[in-house]
Amino acid sequence: MITLGRHAVFVVTALIAAPASGQEIVESRAPRDPDLRLADEPLVRIGIVDGPVEYIFGNVTGAVRLADGSIVVADEQSGNVRRFDANGRHMWTSGRSGEGPGEYEGLRLLRNCREAPLTVFDWSLGRITELDLDGNVLATRSLLAAGVRPYNDPLCAPDGRLVYTPWPDDMGASYEEDLAEGDLYRWHTALESVEGDSVVTLRSGIPGAERFFIQAGASGPRWWGRDMVFAPAGAGVWYGTADDYELEHLDWTGRVIRVARWAGPDLTVTNDRVDSYREGWLAQYDDAEARRNFEREVWPDIRDQLPERFPAYEALIALPEGAFWVKTHAWLAPGEELHLLDANGAWLRRLTLPSGVVLDAGRDWVLLRQRDELGVPTVALYDLVETGG
């Protein structure tokens, strides 16, 4: 495994070998193409502090950019989905809070789903809702009725399958007799796919979320913790455990056909990075008393769970043609850093974002959740340009 500083440069960027096991190994020592950054100004920004309600967001939990340039936004606080044209003008609003058809209790938008123009996952009701491009409900189906209980949001594969990680069977209970309050452990999970009416287990026993023990039957996610992430592709599923810059590619039978390794930022925990994390949290509070409460009541727990090394990444964002972005751990460097890998796992690009959460992306654009200078939640579309451009 190659571990290098983030500014290292090599002439040869990818080495491919085929070991006796038949797995293809793709090792990238540096990105093939120049680094990317955001354009100076967004192409469009949606979200205001006061005015027409359709432009005001409470809790944006997803957004997708459609082929015509329009943007669809899921706002969980209002329980609805809204579509805006390529210039940011409101087109329609669909849905409300509730449990009936076209109503939502927990709202997520799924990307790259082929069954319907728009697909909504309701994590609270365990339900999939399909919408047409005018926001009309086409179909609703219960995942719970099929025995599917996703731990994280499910993802769509290009061939129509739904891929997800189920809730672990024992929830860490097998460790409880050896744990004391505050102890850390890591449960194991699986990758499963829904194919028609069948659920197929692609792989089990994968190291999943790192947790801290509270009491019997209760635990919480570890601050700074590693977790398993995945992204469906045409030939199967890419997944990784965030221990290092490595991902495995499973085919639809669960066989590992390819391993991708690349040289991301150094994972060493340093005081500067810890301070950056703390300052990021403090910046979310508007008054001095709230910041004091954070430092007195919350920060000690976060600080005390520091690992020896950061997780390598925390999300994969698949593109329709098979390439995918890897979002590195949020506090490895100032801003967010993403790496674009091609369909075979070779490292193509590096992108640094000064702020914001990626909701959707292509090779040359990103859709971000941000806050403006007044703290108003917004959705902003940016072109990506080469550094120095």
Side-chain angles (χ1 to χ4, degrees):
M1 180 64 204
I2 304 166
T3 304
L4 303 168
R6 63 191 294 266
H7 298 296
V9 177
F10 285 79
V11 175
V12 179
T13 60
L15 303 176
I16 301 178
S21 65
Q23 298 171 4
E24 181 181 59
I25 307 297
V26 180
E27 296 199 17
S28 300
R29 297 177 176 177
R32 185 193 69 190
D33 299 321
D35 289 353
L36 298 172
R37 62 173 179 84
L38 293 185
D40 294 335
E41 297 293 335
L43 292 171
V44 62
R45 184 183 295 279
I46 308 167
I48 57 176
V49 65
D50 191 22
V53 67
E54 57 265 26
Y55 294 95
I56 299 174
F57 298 126
N59 180 23
V60 174
T61 55
V64 296
R65 188 188 190 196
L66 303 182
D68 66 353
S70 62
I71 296 169
V72 180
V73 181
D75 187 80
E76 191 167 81
Q77 182 170 305
S78 56
N80 58 42
V81 178
R82 309 174 204 174
R83 186 179 178 188
F84 302 85
D85 69 17
N87 296 311
R89 290 188 292 264
H90 179 259
M91 298 174 66
W92 51 255
T93 295
S94 174
R96 61 184 181 181
S97 296
E99 299 183 5
E103 298 177 340
Y104 310 102
E105 291 295 310
L107 191 55
R108 300 291 190 271
L109 274 178
L110 302 189
R111 303 168 59 256
N112 302 330
C113 301
R114 75 172 192 177
E115 277 74 15
L118 297 169
T119 302
V120 179
F121 168 61
D122 190 318
W123 59 266
S124 179
L125 300 177
R127 189 170 68 185
I128 294 289
T129 299
E130 297 173 351
L131 305 175
D132 67 17
L133 288 177
D134 294 318
N136 301 308
V137 175
L138 296 175
T140 301
R141 58 192 173 104
S142 171
L143 296 180
L144 296 180
V148 175
R149 298 176 60 245
Y151 171 62
N152 292 319
D153 296 346
L155 299 176
C156 294
D159 65 359
R161 308 178 208 220
L162 201 65
V163 181
Y164 70 101
T165 56
W167 279 88
D169 291 335
D170 66 0
M171 299 289 288
S174 59
Y175 307 112
E176 289 186 353
E177 62 183 26
D178 300 318
L179 294 174
E181 182 178 353
D183 282 352
L184 298 169
Y185 68 98
R186 191 172 192 181
W187 67 26
H188 287 78
T189 187
L191 271 172
E192 297 183 349
S193 67
V194 182
E195 305 170 22
D197 296 328
S198 301
V199 175
V200 176
T201 299
L202 300 173
R203 173 147 298 196
S204 58
I206 304 171
E210 289 187 287
R211 314 278 294 181
F212 68 93
F213 180 74
I214 300 173
Q215 61 184 15
S219 65
R222 178 186 185 179
W223 298 103
W224 326 87
R226 296 167 295 174
D227 199 354
M228 191 271 284
V229 301
F230 65 97
V237 182
W238 285 99
Y239 86 97
T241 59
D243 294 275
D244 216 324
Y245 297 104
E246 179 172 304
L247 296 167
E248 293 188 340
H249 192 188
L250 299 175
D251 67 15
W252 292 115
T253 71
R255 181 175 62 95
V256 177
I257 57 175
R258 186 175 292 110
V259 177
R261 298 169 181 154
W262 71 103
D266 180 33
L267 298 174
T268 303
V269 174
T270 65
N271 289 333
D272 287 347
R273 289 169 179 165
V274 175
D275 290 343
S276 175
Y277 189 89
R278 175 177 161 274
E279 292 300 322
W281 271 94
L282 289 172
Q284 300 178 47
Y285 298 98
D286 296 328
D287 61 86
E289 181 61 28
R291 288 190 287 271
R292 283 193 293 270
N293 287 339
F294 168 79
E295 295 204 80
R296 182 173 58 249
E297 299 175 8
V298 180
W299 178 247
D301 287 338
I302 300 175
R303 181 197 57 219
D304 292 346
Q305 292 180 43
L306 274 171
E308 294 182 0
R309 300 172 80 235
F310 282 114
Y313 43 76
E314 56 186 45
L316 304 181
I317 305 168
L319 306 186
E321 79 276 12
F324 55 98
W325 288 99
V326 182
K327 181 183 178 298
T328 62
H329 191 272
W331 301 105
L332 285 174
E336 304 279 343
E337 184 165 308
L338 288 87
H339 301 154
L340 181 64
L341 275 59
D342 70 13
N344 293 316
W347 191 9
L348 301 180
R349 295 275 201 180
R350 176 168 41 207
L351 166 66
T352 299
L353 302 177
S355 65
V357 175
V358 179
L359 300 170
D360 197 5
R363 283 180 176 254
D364 56 3
W365 59 270
V366 292
L367 191 61
L368 301 179
R369 184 179 69 216
Q370 295 181 317
R371 291 186 180 273
D372 68 11
E373 61 275 6
L374 298 176
V376 175
T378 68
V379 173
L381 174 67
Y382 286 87
D383 277 335
L384 302 179
V385 298
E386 292 186 359
T387 54

